[in-house]
């Protein structure tokens, strides 16, 4: 646990008692603060009471009187589409509003660091797609290298639940736009921006607000090194803002598909090969085509971002290459769950929107595609350029028939359930093909979350293949 400093003897309100909220309450208490806890959910309140915390109804008009700060969980709106009523009251009163990320960055460093031979470092990863894979890959590479490291944030533990830093340790944090938008302290040593595509637009009042939330990690944080994906104009703009010119190697530009040879430092992937260039010279090259845990151009971009972050921490190219080959991938993200008779079965249940589904469809040449669920606004018409790789689609869930109307002449079958879709795809798949779950839809029509959907797919495949 990271005890929160700066609030000893003071009342601090905590709104939202999920994983990060309870971790925040524990860390505040460990630092000598007096946490006042509330959640609209009776179940969440009961869990807090089971831990021995007293509850305070923060919705009462006078609840924030004398409170030093209000700490809110990421899922609670603080500005758009409208502030939560407790947060709105804090804004009226001038009570500082923060989150666990802000508390972490103000509390992580301690006087004990003065005795360390090597100061600990924080690597943060944000972006629309690939955050989790990039974060986990950086952590995996550090583990292979023998560096003390921890992983937290949007993946693994809450940031305040990790252990205090060791000498030379690296903490790798995945941060969402919800987290970067509100944190009052952001001071990473290395900050990574993967890419940007439309998401959470209601929460940020459009793409401009969404990008601004991501950009805060760099503009407010002042990292020593910026790793920036430049395959969209927003990334190009961010790299331009953070550097003093194309030769400034404090910015490492990353791409999947573009050659980036004219910059101070760049890492890019083309035709399955990763290349590192620095000051006009190629420093290293890695063949990514046989890295089974990172299939497709989108994962090659993740590999480039992780490689760049680890190089900025002083790791050697050969060591990073070795670690890439032992990376198994994350569950539900281009996860190879089985291979039999020349057919691979890939679980990409995390592909809940068109952009992430497109990346999955572009990763393989001949696909038996399982798609559907609770479709999102706009449907899947934008996937048309990816459909030539689809041998046949097996459509499930609430949006199955809507999806069938949007995929044109692509062969398809309305299966409705995962059980039937897996059975039919496995029966018809030929050697060299991939049975791919990439739903392009939310899971809530049939499953509580995308993880349960992916687990069901995996269980059905493994049961069928023995």
């Amino acid at each position: 646990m990271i005890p929160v400093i700066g609030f000893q003897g003071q009342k601090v309100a905590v709104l939202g008692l999920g994983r990060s909220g309870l971790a925040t309450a524990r860390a505040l208490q460990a630092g000598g603060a007096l946490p006042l806890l509330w959640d609209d959910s009776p179940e969440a309140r009961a869990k807090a009471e089971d831990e021995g915390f007293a509850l305070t109804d923060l919705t009462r008009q006078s609840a924030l009187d004398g409170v030093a700060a209000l700490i809110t969980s990421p899922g609670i709106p603080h500005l758009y589409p409208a502030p939560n009523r407790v947060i709105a009251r804090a804004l009226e009163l001038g009570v500082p509003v923060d989150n666990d990320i802000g508390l972490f960055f103000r509390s992580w460093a301690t006087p004990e660091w003065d005795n360390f031979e090597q100061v600990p470092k924080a690597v943060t990863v944000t972006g629309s797609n690939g955050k989790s894979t990039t974060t986990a890959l950086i952590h995996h590479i550090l583990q292979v290298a023998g560096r003390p490291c921890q992983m937290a944030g949007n993946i693994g533990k809450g940031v305040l639940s990790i252990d205090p830093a060791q000498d030379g340790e690296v903490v790798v944090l995945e941060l969402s736009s919800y987290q970067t938008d509100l944190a009052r302290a952001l001071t990473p040593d290395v900050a990574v921006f993967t890419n940007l595509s439309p998401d959470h637009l209601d929460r940020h009042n459009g793409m401009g607000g969404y990008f601004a939330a991501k950009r805060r990690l760099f503009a407010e944080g002042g990292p020593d090194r910026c790793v920036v994906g430049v395959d969209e104009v927003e990334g190009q703009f961010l790299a331009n803002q953070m550097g003093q010119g194309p030769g400034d190697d404090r910015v490492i530009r990353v791409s999947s598909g573009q050659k980036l040879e004219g910059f101070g430092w760049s890492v890019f992937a083309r035709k399955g090969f990763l290349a590192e260039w620095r000051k006009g010279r190629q420093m290293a090259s890695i063949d990514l085509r046989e890295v089974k845990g990172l299939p497709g151009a989108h994962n090659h971009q993740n590999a480039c971002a992780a490689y760049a972050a680890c190089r900025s921490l002083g790791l050697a190219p050969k060591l990073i290459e070795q670690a890439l080959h032992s990376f198994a991938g994350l569950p539900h993200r281009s996860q190879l769950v089985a291979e039999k008779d020349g057919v691979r079965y890939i679980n990409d249940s995390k592909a809940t929107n068109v952009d992430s589904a497109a990346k999955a469809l572009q990763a393989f040449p001949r696909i038996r595609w399982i798609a559907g669920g609770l479709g999102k606004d706009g449907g899947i018409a934008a996937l048309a350029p990816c459909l030539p790789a689809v041998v046949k689609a097996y459509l499930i869930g609430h949006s199955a028939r809507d999806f069938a109307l949007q995929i044109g002449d692509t062969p398809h079958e309305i299966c409705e359930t995962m059980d039937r879709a897996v059975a039919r795809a496995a029966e018809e798949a030929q050697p060299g093909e991939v049975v791919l779950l990439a739903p392009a839809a939310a899971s809530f029509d049939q499953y509580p979350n995308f993880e349960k959907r992916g687990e069901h797919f995996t269980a059905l495949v493994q049961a069928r293949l023995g």
Side-chain angles (χ1 to χ4, degrees):
M1 182 193 303
I2 306 295
V4 173
I5 64 172
F7 294 108
Q8 189 166 11
Q10 300 181 71
K11 294 189 293 184
V12 179
V14 179
L15 180 64
L17 301 177
R19 183 191 68 170
S20 67
L22 283 176
T24 297
R26 297 182 201 110
L28 283 164
Q29 193 172 66
L34 307 173
L36 311 179
L37 276 59
W38 187 250
D39 193 297
D40 289 339
S41 163
E43 293 79 12
R45 295 199 299 268
K47 188 173 181 181
E49 285 184 312
D50 288 344
E51 285 201 31
F53 287 111
L55 298 171
T56 300
D57 186 352
L58 297 178
T59 65
R60 291 186 295 105
Q61 186 71 8
S62 61
L64 297 181
D65 292 351
V67 166
L70 170 64
I71 311 304
T72 180
S73 293
I76 302 174
H78 56 267
L79 187 56
Y80 302 112
N84 173 277
R85 56 181 172 166
V86 177
I87 297 175
R89 179 65 176 156
L91 299 179
E92 290 173 5
L93 297 174
V95 174
V97 181
D98 204 349
N99 61 18
D100 61 333
I101 305 302
L103 296 183
F104 170 82
F105 277 112
R106 68 180 283 169
S107 305
W108 186 42
T110 64
E112 286 76 17
W113 288 25
D114 292 340
N115 300 318
F116 290 169
E117 292 185 9
Q118 190 174 359
V119 174
K121 293 184 180 295
V123 177
T124 56
V125 181
T126 195
S128 296
N129 296 301
K131 294 189 300 295
S132 296
T133 297
T134 301
T135 302
L137 183 54
I138 294 169
H139 182 252
H140 173 75
I141 294 167
L142 290 167
Q143 287 182 313
V144 171
R147 289 283 292 271
C149 56
Q150 297 184 75
M151 180 172 65
N154 238 22
I155 187 173
K157 298 179 177 179
V159 292
L160 293 172
S161 295
I162 67 172
D163 297 328
Q166 302 177 41
D167 194 338
E169 185 169 43
V170 180
V171 170
V172 191
L173 305 179
E174 177 192 340
L175 300 182
S176 72
S177 58
Y178 292 3
Q179 294 167 312
T180 58
D181 196 21
L182 189 61
R184 297 171 71 89
L186 287 168
T187 54
D189 298 281
V190 180
V192 179
F193 174 87
T194 58
N195 50 56
L196 198 77
S197 60
D199 208 358
H200 310 306
L201 300 189
D202 60 333
R203 179 67 180 266
H204 298 293
N205 202 33
M207 278 294 284
Y210 179 46
F211 176 53
K214 302 285 190 186
R215 183 178 173 275
R216 284 193 79 243
L217 182 61
F218 297 79
E220 301 286 336
D224 296 329
R225 194 78 69 181
C226 302
V227 177
V228 182
V230 294
D231 288 335
E232 296 88 27
V233 67
E234 291 89 354
Q236 295 169 13
F237 177 82
L238 179 60
N240 184 280
Q241 289 252 300
M242 299 309 297
Q244 295 300 315
D248 187 348
D249 67 1
R250 293 173 300 176
V251 178
I252 309 177
R253 288 167 170 83
V254 166
S255 173
S256 175
Q258 299 182 64
K259 290 182 72 173
L260 301 173
E261 298 174 358
F263 298 98
W265 202 347
S266 62
V267 180
F268 57 90
R270 296 185 75 234
K271 299 180 180 180
F273 286 86
L274 178 152
E276 177 190 1
W277 280 70
R278 193 164 189 183
K279 299 188 183 302
R281 295 178 53 224
Q282 184 168 338
M283 307 297 292
S285 177
I286 297 174
D287 185 350
L288 298 174
R289 295 172 299 177
E290 299 303 318
V291 179
K292 290 189 175 181
L294 296 165
H298 63 300
N299 273 314
H300 292 176
Q301 184 191 52
N302 298 335
C304 288
Y307 176 97
C310 291
R311 287 287 286 137
S312 72
L313 294 170
L315 274 62
K318 287 295 184 185
L319 190 152
I320 298 173
E321 180 176 7
Q322 173 192 342
L324 292 178
H325 282 280
S326 60
F327 182 65
L330 289 178
H332 319 299
R333 297 166 176 86
S334 298
Q335 178 192 15
L336 176 64
V337 298
E339 186 170 0
K340 187 174 182 179
D341 299 329
V343 178
R344 286 181 289 167
Y345 295 80
I346 304 292
N347 167 22
D348 204 341
S349 184
K350 182 67 166 61
T352 59
N353 58 39
V354 165
D355 187 67
S356 53
K359 289 178 168 60
L361 290 171
Q362 291 164 358
F364 308 102
R366 293 181 57 79
I367 300 168
R368 302 275 173 177
W369 179 33
I370 299 176
L374 192 61
K376 298 188 175 180
D377 291 346
I380 59 168
L383 290 175
C386 306
L387 295 181
V390 176
V391 178
K392 184 176 177 179
Y394 304 83
L395 304 174
I396 64 173
H398 179 270
S399 298
R401 285 166 177 79
D402 289 339
F403 280 18
L405 294 173
Q406 295 175 55
I407 61 175
D409 296 332
T410 302
H412 64 271
E413 182 176 333
I414 305 291
C415 294
E416 296 187 344
T417 67
M418 185 72 76
D419 302 65
R420 179 165 175 79
V422 170
R424 293 291 296 136
E427 287 168 4
E428 298 182 348
Q430 301 297 311
E433 294 179 347
V434 168
V435 175
L436 171 68
L437 172 64
S443 61
F444 306 123
D445 56 334
Q446 295 179 317
Y447 302 93
N449 50 52
F450 74 83
E451 291 95 342
K452 292 297 183 185
R453 177 171 59 189
E455 289 166 7
H456 189 206
F457 169 80
T458 299
L460 290 169
V461 168
Q462 293 174 344
R464 185 172 186 86
L465 301 185

